[in-house]
Amino acid sequence: MKEKFKVRTDLALEAREDIQMSDSELDGVIVEEKMNSHANIHVIKLTITNEHGAKLLKKPVGTYLTLEAPDMVQPSEEYHREISCVLAEYIKDLIRPYWREDGISILVVGLGNREVTPDALGPNVVNNIAIQRENEVDNQKISISGIVPGVMAQTGMETAVIIKGVVSETMPDVVIAIDALAARNSKRLNTTIQVTDTGIHPGSGVGNHRRAITKESIGTNVIAIGVPTVIDTPTIVYDTLENLLKALSVSEHFKSVSDTFHRFNNDEKYQLIREIINPEMSDMFVTPKDADETIKRIGYTISEAINIAANS
Amino acid sequence: MKEKFKVRTDLALEAREDIQMSDSELDGVIVEEKMNSHANIHVIKLTITNEHGAKLLKKPVGTYLTLEAPDMVQPSEEYHREISCVLAEYIKDLIRPYWREDGISILVVGLGNREVTPDALGPNVVNNIAIQRENEVDNQKISISGIVPGVMAQTGMETAVIIKGVVSETMPDVVIAIDALAARNSKRLNTTIQVTDTGIHPGSGVGNHRRAITKESIGTNVIAIGVPTVIDTPTIVYDTLENLLKALSVSEHFKSVSDTFHRFNNDEKYQLIREIINPEMSDMFVTPKDADETIKRIGYTISEAINIAANS
Amino acid sequence: MKEKFKVRTDLALEAREDIQMSDSELDGVIVEEKMNSHANIHVIKLTITNEHGAKLLKKPVGTYLTLEAPDMVQPSEEYHREISCVLAEYIKDLIRPYWREDGISILVVGLGNREVTPDALGPNVVNNIAIQRENEVDNQKISISGIVPGVMAQTGMETAVIIKGVVSETMPDVVIAIDALAARNSKRLNTTIQVTDTGIHPGSGVGNHRRAITKESIGTNVIAIGVPTVIDTPTIVYDTLENLLKALSVSEHFKSVSDTFHRFNNDEKYQLIREIINPEMSDMFVTPKDADETIKRIGYTISEAINIAANS
Amino acid sequence: MKEKFKVRTDLALEAREDIQMSDSELDGVIVEEKMNSHANIHVIKLTITNEHGAKLLKKPVGTYLTLEAPDMVQPSEEYHREISCVLAEYIKDLIRPYWREDGISILVVGLGNREVTPDALGPNVVNNIAIQRENEVDNQKISISGIVPGVMAQTGMETAVIIKGVVSETMPDVVIAIDALAARNSKRLNTTIQVTDTGIHPGSGVGNHRRAITKESIGTNVIAIGVPTVIDTPTIVYDTLENLLKALSVSEHFKSVSDTFHRFNNDEKYQLIREIINPEMSDMFVTPKDADETIKRIGYTISEAINIAANS
């Protein structure tokens, strides 16, 4: 199997795109387009059905819904309401298995650092969530609670450990964890929402959680909602390199160089990137200059979706 | 025993002042003045030694250190450093019993709502605390972690329950809980720090925690540090009434009224206050107009004291 | 003329209520109820037409629209949208005279201190406003700019001076200044919006601006939008006193005292209040415990109203 | 003259480093090392004395002090106090010409967006500054005022226009403008402070001010203090390219390619970079993950330096 060098991405869909195989060839990975009535919101459902697919995409077995809303960076209130409604449907689908006979109790966890703009998505969602204590809706008792655990630099504790403690005391049926993700492609920044029933895994997100936030680690079911708000600096280096090679291949003079590069295997390319990137860069991220307003808006949109999903 | 009607106060010292008895008459309550080298910082140690004292002051058995620093509202950096040092000594005294042979791990809990100025003291302290993971100081391993659990309106969960969950997972030797308190006397606003080994009790503070934060409720030792940042509105009514009666007693014409009032017992006075205060007022608090800067400064001063106390 | 002692209020409607005269007797003050289709939003238009009216109400000649929306403290999004629409109509009425032939440029000024919860209304509005640069709407060029000048303790400069400077450089047709007000009646807290074409006057609001923000002081037309978010402490004392007197008047024993009080003239009552209130209290305010969420929501509602008013 | 392609930098010192000439060859540019008693703080004074130097470095004629403090990212309070003292000396030097006989009035302007972490340096400094109104120090009246004008996306107005308006009303002797800068070299991030008497120029900083903030544009003298808190994405591309070429030159196979590249002139290299960078990247910046704490600390350090410089 010839595969491209995989740049780190938190999005299953991007991981899929890295594999140069047709859907039919991909054992353990099913990709379906979900139709919905909203013109400019596109939903793709990617299911990893077995360990082979998990290994291929370097993501755990489970369902990954990707909602692409290219205008999400725009301040249109109406469009954001539509996104909330579409997202609510998919959240409803994913939490359905966790309802008890007489209701559901949901703990919304806002991961990330509220003081760092692109990492504040999760805290923003919890700030906007409509907390409710055993509200009666159609004879069902629905509770929504929320917490912003903070990041390890602020608390000195693993985030997963804090959540596990709160879960063990309050016993929610499901945790919905919101996190800012890293994307590979700058076009996905603040335009894509990924919802998954697989939880959150080490190395994901802006804050690089060190431990997984999954049913195993925190003791209850986990739905993870993520939005790419940053690009890792190695991604930019990789993109630059690829673009450079493309540019070189046009010129007759450089064609041989470009060809040589493409004969490199992934490990060789990776070594080269490791060499040419500044070591300081690995602790940095790339983010749009107007991220603050955008991320507040998306946080509000996601909190609305959770409210709708729980109460309808 | 004839006692004045007790207006709610979170300060043991104010509760003591309500009792019109000399120190020697007070079984179960010991009040000592602590000398220290700093001219304008005054420390009083009040110890409630038995249930009789506890009942009298309506506070649990334990030690209550009250640090009075009238200039704490001023922005003098040097004076605040002195307060940090004096406070650090008393925190050290109170946490001493909780050291293990090879160190101590402290969880600093910032109670209150970071979005409400006079309730943000606790969150401010945790923001400034120097988080450390098993630092070696003189062959002792010292850990300081911190958490801002939020208030029930934000989380939908009891604060004590969140803390209990985190404590059960991380097993700190002692929790230092910081809270904004309600004072009876406006002169104590932002000038007094109370440190106690009795934890935090229902009805205390700006946010009116509904459950105690004590060794019983959270599962580890609790030191509580509180600063009065608000006055409850009933306090103002009571003060007004008292002042009115004093004013009336001067006039010959009203003296009989004033006397009549003072013949009222506490329950009668309380009924009167209940009647004359607007019901909406009970959900309000009184706070100085320039509270924001003052409370940030005090938050910094307390976080420094904890840093010094843990590492020296 | 026998009038009740006037407790300070920023609301013209409350000033009107202090005058114990029928509408027909009030020379220079016209009060009209404005009907609107929204069940639970009540609008009263008070016009002060001459100096006599101005002196009577201690407010300048001009139009004062008071929008009473008792459920504004509730988080209903739909109700807030209705308030925005109703408010937008009245803002449109008041800015109509300031349109040029080819458009209008509006400077929204968020008065107050963003760090103090009940004073952050103005900054919240500007945070949410849709800034626009010469947008074309129906062949009209509409500009909306915004500024949060800060309070004197933060800037060392008079707020009116900062605004005057910005106005002299950018020449907006009208300034819409948003301010947190002080009310006399706790029922008006966060439920009433006052819109006026008279600007903002010394001693108004939470922050006690020292200079007027009017056409004279800043050099362009001023519409002021205010919401009472605090009650001054003297108001509480006055309320308490009034309630106490009512309570006393029921009892035969105290009836004579109550009667005596009511024979006091205003100055005597004022002296009494001055005596019985703590001097520290004058720098304090009273605010609801859950003010933060409420004030953010109202800020958003007002910013929406301005957006609608400018663009329709 | 053969010069390296100049990547955009706000630091005069980096602009100097781009020129491959010895100091003696550089007409119009003088570089002196300033000694100071503090071991780990290094100060370089670069003076551009004529238009030739200005053209060479693409910076206006004037004085540029660069304070290099490699440990400024560390939380040591003592070290930060030393930086404040050293910085204060240089601020004092630069504001000396603007003292009147009887004092000085300083307006501190915090440029940038307080909601975006790496752009919040200026707002942080103004938050911490000790505002004073005509304080008497040694028979001199010293005033310090401060303002956070916001960025154009928030206000709809040019920052320079807002400042000009405030200056024309308050007539300060000097404006000290604080801005977050872009550096070329990641080692300078949050470790370097540049102080200059030339003001702030278009294209500088995180927020890309469109108009200069200089004596000409705002009407009073301007001292600018800047700290690089971000790296522009093109810088990273350029660095990557350079590193790649170096890596290539080692291999015999690629040596000819590397040589070819180095024969490219600047325009050719620039075209190549333009081609290989994603267009979306130009609106993005690169910032360290833990920027929030660092930038708050540096903001405090600079505000302390201004306080010391004004009052000693």
Side-chain angles (χ1 to χ4, degrees):
Chain A
M1 184 192 65
K2 184 165 174 289
E3 61 169 38
K4 271 176 66 186
F5 165 67
K6 264 190 249 29
V7 170
R8 181 167 97 60
T9 171
D10 293 323
L11 295 174
L13 200 62
E14 288 194 338
R16 165 67 189 90
E17 289 166 0
D18 284 342
I19 319 286
Q20 287 162 333
M21 293 167 80
S22 71
D23 282 1
S24 60
E25 291 175 291
L26 274 175
D27 173 33
V29 180
I30 301 169
V31 179
E32 304 161 78
E33 204 156 315
K34 304 271 284 186
M35 297 307 293
N36 71 75
S37 53
H38 300 278
N40 210 7
I41 305 170
H42 187 222
V43 183
I44 297 131
K45 183 179 180 181
L46 188 151
T47 319
I48 301 182
T49 58
N50 61 28
E51 281 310 311
H52 180 261
K55 214 168 159 188
L56 216 56
L57 266 60
K58 299 193 178 165
K59 304 273 166 210
V61 167
T63 303
Y64 301 84
L65 286 152
T66 310
L67 196 150
E68 296 181 325
D71 297 346
M72 199 157 76
V73 289
Q74 303 302 324
S76 156
E77 217 177 297
E78 205 183 322
Y79 184 62
H80 275 261
R81 212 167 297 135
E82 283 179 32
I83 299 171
S84 293
C85 291
V86 173
L87 181 57
E89 279 177 58
Y90 297 108
I91 296 174
K92 265 172 81 171
D93 282 356
L94 289 182
I95 64 175
R96 185 159 299 132
Y98 312 134
W99 280 74
R100 283 167 290 104
E101 218 166 278
D102 61 339
I104 190 165
S105 89
I106 299 170
L107 172 60
V108 182
V109 176
L111 299 168
N113 183 344
R114 68 170 79 232
E115 312 266 352
V116 174
T117 315
D119 203 20
L121 178 74
N124 281 349
V125 170
V126 173
N127 272 11
N128 285 313
I129 212 81
I131 295 299
Q132 50 190 69
R133 303 265 289 176
E134 304 227 326
N135 279 30
E136 285 268 337
V137 180
D138 300 334
N139 289 319
Q140 300 277 300
K141 279 184 191 152
I142 298 166
S143 297
I144 303 180
S145 51
I147 197 161
V148 176
V151 297
M152 202 164 165
Q154 296 171 320
T155 65
M157 298 178 284
E158 284 287 350
T159 306
V161 167
I162 296 174
I163 301 170
K164 187 182 180 188
V166 174
V167 163
S168 72
E169 291 298 320
T170 61
M171 306 289 282
D173 299 306
V174 60
V175 157
I176 300 182
I178 324 295
D179 200 14
L181 305 181
R184 204 191 51 184
N185 187 327
S186 64
K187 277 172 199 155
R188 294 211 188 277
L189 272 186
N190 301 322
T191 63
T192 299
I193 303 174
Q194 177 176 273
V195 193
T196 174
D197 56 5
T198 61
I200 285 172
H201 293 271
S204 299
V206 181
N208 285 327
H209 313 294
R210 298 203 297 197
R211 286 203 209 160
I213 296 166
T214 59
K215 184 162 189 174
E216 287 66 44
S217 72
I218 68 163
T220 194
N221 307 294
V222 184
I223 303 296
I225 301 179
V227 175
T229 64
V230 302
I231 306 178
D232 262 0
T233 46
T235 298
I236 293 174
V237 173
Y238 186 84
D239 280 0
T240 307
L241 182 58
E242 282 290 305
N243 289 339
L244 177 63
L245 294 177
K246 266 187 231 149
L248 288 176
S249 67
V250 175
S251 143
E252 199 53 46
H253 182 86
F254 292 116
K255 203 173 175 314
S256 70
V257 184
S258 175
D259 288 349
T260 314
F261 259 106
H262 279 112
R263 277 195 301 271
F264 280 6
N265 66 22
N266 292 326
D267 277 353
E268 287 163 335
K269 283 191 194 169
Y270 183 75
Q271 283 310 318
L272 185 56
I273 288 181
R274 285 281 304 261
E275 273 169 44
I276 66 182
I277 199 167
N278 258 323
E280 291 89 357
M281 288 298 159
S282 59
D283 282 330
M284 304 199 179
F285 55 66
V286 184
T287 190
K289 281 176 181 172
D290 59 353
D292 61 324
E293 281 307 309
T294 312
I295 285 165
K296 269 189 204 161
R297 213 154 36 226
I298 298 173
Y300 182 77
T301 301
I302 294 175
S303 69
E304 281 294 285
I306 296 173
N307 292 338
I308 297 169
N311 291 296
S312 62
Chain B
M1 182 192 66
K2 187 162 170 293
E3 61 172 36
K4 270 176 67 184
F5 164 68
K6 261 190 253 25
V7 170
R8 179 166 100 57
T9 172
D10 293 323
L11 295 174
L13 201 62
E14 288 194 339
R16 166 67 189 90
E17 287 165 1
D18 284 339
I19 319 285
Q20 286 162 332
M21 292 167 78
S22 71
D23 282 0
S24 60
E25 290 174 292
L26 273 176
D27 174 31
V29 180
I30 300 168
V31 179
E32 306 161 74
E33 206 156 315
K34 304 270 285 186
M35 298 308 293
N36 72 74
S37 52
H38 300 277
N40 209 9
I41 304 171
H42 186 222
V43 183
I44 297 130
K45 182 180 182 182
L46 186 151
T47 318
I48 302 183
T49 57
N50 62 27
E51 281 310 311
H52 181 263
K55 216 169 158 187
L56 216 59
L57 265 60
K58 301 192 176 164
K59 304 271 166 211
V61 168
T63 303
Y64 300 84
L65 286 152
T66 309
L67 194 150
E68 296 180 326
D71 296 344
M72 198 157 74
V73 290
Q74 303 302 325
S76 154
E77 215 177 298
E78 203 184 324
Y79 185 60
H80 275 261
R81 210 165 302 136
E82 283 180 32
I83 299 172
S84 293
C85 292
V86 173
L87 181 57
E89 280 176 57
Y90 297 108
I91 295 173
K92 267 173 79 172
D93 281 355
L94 289 181
I95 63 176
R96 186 159 300 131
Y98 312 133
W99 279 74
R100 284 169 289 104
E101 217 165 278
D102 60 340
I104 190 164
S105 89
I106 300 171
L107 172 60
V108 182
V109 176
L111 299 169
N113 183 344
R114 67 168 83 229
E115 311 267 352
V116 174
T117 316
D119 202 19
L121 178 74
N124 281 349
V125 170
V126 173
N127 273 10
N128 286 315
I129 212 81
I131 296 299
Q132 50 190 70
R133 305 264 290 175
E134 304 227 327
N135 280 30
E136 285 266 336
V137 181
D138 299 334
N139 289 320
Q140 301 277 298
K141 278 184 190 152
I142 297 166
S143 296
I144 304 181
S145 51
I147 198 162
V148 175
V151 297
M152 202 163 166
Q154 296 171 321
T155 65
M157 298 178 283
E158 286 286 350
T159 306
V161 167
I162 296 174
I163 301 170
K164 188 181 179 188
V166 175
V167 164
S168 72
E169 290 299 321
T170 60
M171 306 291 283
D173 299 306
V174 61
V175 157
I176 300 183
I178 323 293
D179 201 14
L181 304 180
R184 207 189 50 186
N185 187 327
S186 63
K187 276 170 201 157
R188 293 210 187 277
L189 274 186
N190 302 323
T191 62
T192 299
I193 302 173
Q194 177 177 271
V195 192
T196 173
D197 55 7
T198 61
I200 285 172
H201 293 273
S204 300
V206 180
N208 284 326
H209 313 294
R210 297 204 298 199
R211 286 203 210 158
I213 296 165
T214 58
K215 184 162 189 174
E216 287 68 42
S217 72
I218 68 162
T220 193
N221 308 294
V222 184
I223 303 296
I225 302 181
V227 175
T229 64
V230 302
I231 307 179
D232 261 0
T233 47
T235 299
I236 293 174
V237 172
Y238 187 83
D239 279 1
T240 308
L241 182 60
E242 282 290 305
N243 288 339
L244 178 64
L245 293 176
K246 264 187 231 148
L248 289 175
S249 67
V250 175
S251 143
E252 200 52 47
H253 182 87
F254 292 115
K255 203 175 177 313
S256 70
V257 185
S258 174
D259 288 351
T260 313
F261 258 106
H262 279 113
R263 277 195 301 272
F264 280 4
N265 67 23
N266 291 327
D267 277 352
E268 286 163 335
K269 283 188 195 170
Y270 183 73
Q271 283 310 317
L272 186 58
I273 287 180
R274 285 280 303 260
E275 274 169 44
I276 66 181
I277 199 170
N278 258 323
E280 291 90 358
M281 287 299 160
S282 59
D283 282 332
M284 302 198 181
F285 54 68
V286 184
T287 190
K289 282 176 181 170
D290 59 353
D292 60 324
E293 281 307 311
T294 313
I295 285 165
K296 268 189 206 159
R297 212 154 36 224
I298 298 174
Y300 182 76
T301 302
I302 293 175
S303 69
E304 282 293 285
I306 296 173
N307 292 338
I308 298 168
N311 290 297
S312 62
Chain C
M1 184 191 68
K2 183 162 173 293
E3 59 169 41
K4 269 176 68 185
F5 165 65
K6 263 191 253 22
V7 170
R8 180 166 98 59
T9 170
D10 293 323
L11 294 174
L13 200 63
E14 288 194 339
R16 166 66 189 91
E17 288 166 359
D18 284 341
I19 319 287
Q20 286 161 335
M21 294 167 78
S22 71
D23 282 0
S24 60
E25 292 175 291
L26 273 176
D27 175 32
V29 180
I30 300 169
V31 179
E32 303 161 78
E33 204 157 315
K34 305 270 284 186
M35 297 307 294
N36 73 72
S37 52
H38 300 278
N40 209 9
I41 305 171
H42 187 223
V43 182
I44 297 130
K45 182 181 181 180
L46 187 151
T47 319
I48 301 182
T49 58
N50 62 26
E51 280 310 312
H52 181 261
K55 215 170 158 186
L56 217 59
L57 266 60
K58 300 193 176 164
K59 305 270 166 210
V61 167
T63 302
Y64 300 83
L65 287 152
T66 310
L67 196 150
E68 297 181 325
D71 297 344
M72 199 157 76
V73 289
Q74 303 302 325
S76 156
E77 216 177 299
E78 204 184 323
Y79 184 62
H80 275 260
R81 212 169 297 135
E82 284 180 31
I83 299 171
S84 293
C85 291
V86 173
L87 181 57
E89 280 178 56
Y90 297 108
I91 296 173
K92 266 174 80 173
D93 282 356
L94 289 181
I95 65 175
R96 185 158 300 132
Y98 311 133
W99 278 74
R100 282 168 290 103
E101 218 166 276
D102 61 339
I104 190 165
S105 89
I106 299 171
L107 172 60
V108 182
V109 176
L111 299 168
N113 183 345
R114 69 168 79 231
E115 310 267 352
V116 175
T117 316
D119 204 17
L121 178 74
N124 279 350
V125 170
V126 172
N127 272 11
N128 285 314
I129 212 81
I131 296 299
Q132 49 190 71
R133 303 265 289 175
E134 305 228 325
N135 279 29
E136 284 269 337
V137 180
D138 300 334
N139 290 318
Q140 301 276 301
K141 278 182 190 153
I142 298 166
S143 296
I144 303 180
S145 51
I147 197 162
V148 175
V151 297
M152 203 165 164
Q154 295 171 321
T155 65
M157 298 178 283
E158 285 286 350
T159 306
V161 167
I162 296 174
I163 301 170
K164 188 182 180 188
V166 175
V167 163
S168 73
E169 290 299 319
T170 61
M171 306 290 281
D173 300 305
V174 60
V175 157
I176 300 182
I178 323 295
D179 200 14
L181 304 180
R184 206 192 49 186
N185 187 326
S186 64
K187 278 170 197 157
R188 293 212 188 276
L189 273 186
N190 301 325
T191 63
T192 299
I193 303 174
Q194 178 177 270
V195 192
T196 174
D197 56 6
T198 60
I200 285 172
H201 293 272
S204 299
V206 180
N208 285 326
H209 313 295
R210 298 204 297 198
R211 286 202 209 162
I213 296 166
T214 58
K215 184 164 189 171
E216 288 65 43
S217 72
I218 68 163
T220 195
N221 308 293
V222 184
I223 303 295
I225 301 180
V227 174
T229 63
V230 301
I231 306 177
D232 261 1
T233 45
T235 298
I236 293 174
V237 172
Y238 186 84
D239 280 0
T240 308
L241 182 58
E242 281 291 304
N243 287 340
L244 176 64
L245 293 177
K246 265 189 231 149
L248 289 176
S249 67
V250 174
S251 143
E252 199 53 48
H253 182 84
F254 292 115
K255 202 173 178 315
S256 70
V257 185
S258 174
D259 288 350
T260 313
F261 258 107
H262 279 112
R263 278 195 300 273
F264 280 5
N265 67 21
N266 291 328
D267 276 354
E268 288 164 334
K269 283 189 194 169
Y270 183 74
Q271 283 310 317
L272 186 57
I273 286 178
R274 285 281 305 260
E275 273 170 43
I276 65 182
I277 200 170
N278 258 323
E280 291 90 357
M281 287 299 159
S282 59
D283 281 333
M284 302 199 181
F285 55 67
V286 183
T287 191
K289 283 177 179 170
D290 60 353
D292 61 323
E293 280 307 309
T294 311
I295 284 163
K296 267 189 206 160
R297 210 154 38 224
I298 299 173
Y300 181 77
T301 301
I302 293 174
S303 69
E304 281 295 285
I306 296 173
N307 292 339
I308 298 168
N311 290 298
S312 63
Chain D
M1 183 191 68
K2 187 163 170 291
E3 60 170 38
K4 269 177 70 185
F5 163 67
K6 262 189 248 29
V7 170
R8 180 166 98 57
T9 172
D10 294 321
L11 294 175
L13 200 62
E14 288 194 340
R16 165 67 188 92
E17 289 166 0
D18 284 340
I19 319 287
Q20 287 162 333
M21 293 167 77
S22 72
D23 282 0
S24 59
E25 291 174 291
L26 273 174
D27 174 31
V29 180
I30 301 167
V31 179
E32 306 161 75
E33 205 157 317
K34 303 271 282 187
M35 298 307 293
N36 71 74
S37 51
H38 301 278
N40 209 9
I41 305 171
H42 187 223
V43 183
I44 298 130
K45 182 180 182 183
L46 186 151
T47 318
I48 301 182
T49 57
N50 62 26
E51 282 309 311
H52 180 262
K55 215 169 157 186
L56 216 59
L57 266 58
K58 300 191 176 165
K59 304 272 166 210
V61 167
T63 303
Y64 300 83
L65 286 152
T66 308
L67 195 148
E68 297 181 325
D71 296 344
M72 199 158 74
V73 290
Q74 303 302 326
S76 154
E77 217 177 297
E78 204 184 323
Y79 184 61
H80 275 260
R81 211 167 298 136
E82 282 179 34
I83 299 171
S84 292
C85 291
V86 173
L87 181 57
E89 278 177 58
Y90 297 109
I91 297 174
K92 266 174 80 171
D93 281 355
L94 289 182
I95 64 175
R96 186 159 298 131
Y98 312 132
W99 279 75
R100 284 169 290 102
E101 217 165 277
D102 61 340
I104 190 164
S105 88
I106 300 171
L107 172 60
V108 182
V109 176
L111 299 168
N113 183 345
R114 70 168 80 231
E115 311 266 352
V116 174
T117 316
D119 203 18
L121 178 75
N124 280 351
V125 170
V126 172
N127 272 10
N128 285 315
I129 212 82
I131 297 299
Q132 50 189 72
R133 304 263 290 174
E134 305 226 326
N135 279 30
E136 286 267 336
V137 180
D138 298 335
N139 290 319
Q140 301 276 298
K141 279 182 190 154
I142 298 166
S143 296
I144 303 180
S145 51
I147 196 161
V148 176
V151 297
M152 203 163 166
Q154 296 171 320
T155 65
M157 298 178 283
E158 284 287 349
T159 306
V161 167
I162 296 174
I163 301 169
K164 188 183 180 187
V166 174
V167 163
S168 72
E169 291 298 321
T170 60
M171 306 289 282
D173 299 306
V174 61
V175 157
I176 301 183
I178 323 295
D179 201 13
L181 305 180
R184 207 191 48 185
N185 186 327
S186 63
K187 276 171 200 159
R188 294 211 187 277
L189 273 186
N190 302 321
T191 62
T192 300
I193 302 174
Q194 178 177 270
V195 192
T196 172
D197 55 6
T198 61
I200 284 172
H201 293 273
S204 300
V206 180
N208 284 325
H209 314 294
R210 298 203 298 196
R211 286 203 210 158
I213 295 166
T214 58
K215 184 163 191 176
E216 288 66 44
S217 72
I218 67 162
T220 195
N221 308 294
V222 184
I223 303 296
I225 302 180
V227 175
T229 63
V230 302
I231 307 177
D232 261 0
T233 46
T235 298
I236 292 173
V237 172
Y238 186 84
D239 280 1
T240 308
L241 183 58
E242 282 291 305
N243 288 339
L244 177 64
L245 293 176
K246 263 188 235 149
L248 289 176
S249 66
V250 176
S251 144
E252 198 52 48
H253 182 87
F254 292 115
K255 202 171 178 315
S256 70
V257 185
S258 175
D259 288 349
T260 313
F261 259 106
H262 279 112
R263 277 195 300 272
F264 281 3
N265 67 22
N266 292 327
D267 277 352
E268 287 163 334
K269 281 189 196 169
Y270 183 74
Q271 283 311 317
L272 186 57
I273 287 181
R274 283 282 303 261
E275 275 169 44
I276 65 180
I277 200 168
N278 258 324
E280 291 90 356
M281 286 300 160
S282 59
D283 283 332
M284 303 198 180
F285 55 67
V286 184
T287 190
K289 283 177 179 169
D290 60 352
D292 62 323
E293 281 307 309
T294 312
I295 285 165
K296 269 191 204 159
R297 212 155 36 225
I298 299 173
Y300 182 76
T301 301
I302 293 175
S303 69
E304 281 294 285
I306 296 173
N307 292 338
I308 297 168
N311 290 296
S312 63

